[in-house]
Each structure stands twice: as C-alpha cells, then as structure tokens.
Amino acid sequence: MQTRVVPTYRGLPANRTPISALLTANVISLLDSMLTLIALPWFVLQTTWSAAKAGIAGGGVALPAFVAGASSAPSPRSRPSRNQSGWPQAASR
C-alpha cells in the first residue's frame, strides 16, 4: 500500500481552493462589468430608439470606471525621495 504525499507549505497542507475561488470570482466580476458597458446602452437604444439617450446611458456606465482609474493613477507631480536610487531618478534630471 502506497502512502499519498501531500504538498505542504510551512508545515501546512497546500490548499489551492481559496485562491482558485478568488480568481474565478474576479473573472466573473470583470466579465460582468464589460457586459454592462455594452448591454445597458444597447438596452436603452432598443427600448427608446434614441441614440442620445443611449449615449447618456453609456456615459453614465463608463463614468465611474473613468473616475476610479483617474483617481488611482499616480500623480505626475510626485517626485522620488532623495534616498531612492536608480534610473528613474537619473532620467528625471
């Protein structure tokens, strides 16, 4: 009879279920967001036959993503501190 070898990490059994669940949920959420960007303006266009209303709906759906991306981007005015070294500091001079 053979014994099964269980992979361990720091003495604990390696369980990949939590990270797999996290990545699966992230992919589902991303797909949902992308489908919403397309489906909502399309739904408004089909129900109202107004391109202007569909454009407003599309802008309303895309605006939160734009604001979140713009607010999380690094500031172009930020400068590295004196104790940082490397090519980014040399390139900024």
Side-chain angles (χ1 to χ4, degrees):
M1 176 177 220
Q2 283 185 336
T3 58
R4 184 170 169 237
V5 177
V6 177
T8 61
Y9 175 71
R10 295 186 181 182
L12 300 171
N15 187 359
R16 293 187 179 95
T17 303
I19 192 72
S20 299
L22 178 69
L23 292 176
T24 302
N26 194 14
V27 167
I28 291 170
S29 174
L30 182 64
L31 287 174
D32 179 47
S33 297
M34 295 298 114
L35 285 173
T36 302
L37 283 174
I38 295 169
L40 190 62
W42 189 5
F43 175 74
V44 170
L45 181 64
Q46 289 296 316
T47 56
T48 64
W49 290 98
S50 171
K53 289 180 182 178
I56 291 170
V61 170
L63 186 65
F66 175 75
V67 170
S71 64
S72 64
S75 172
R77 303 185 118 235
S78 64
R79 300 199 61 177
S81 62
R82 289 265 182 205
N83 58 2
Q84 289 179 341
S85 61
W87 67 268
Q89 189 177 12
S92 67
R93 291 185 181 186

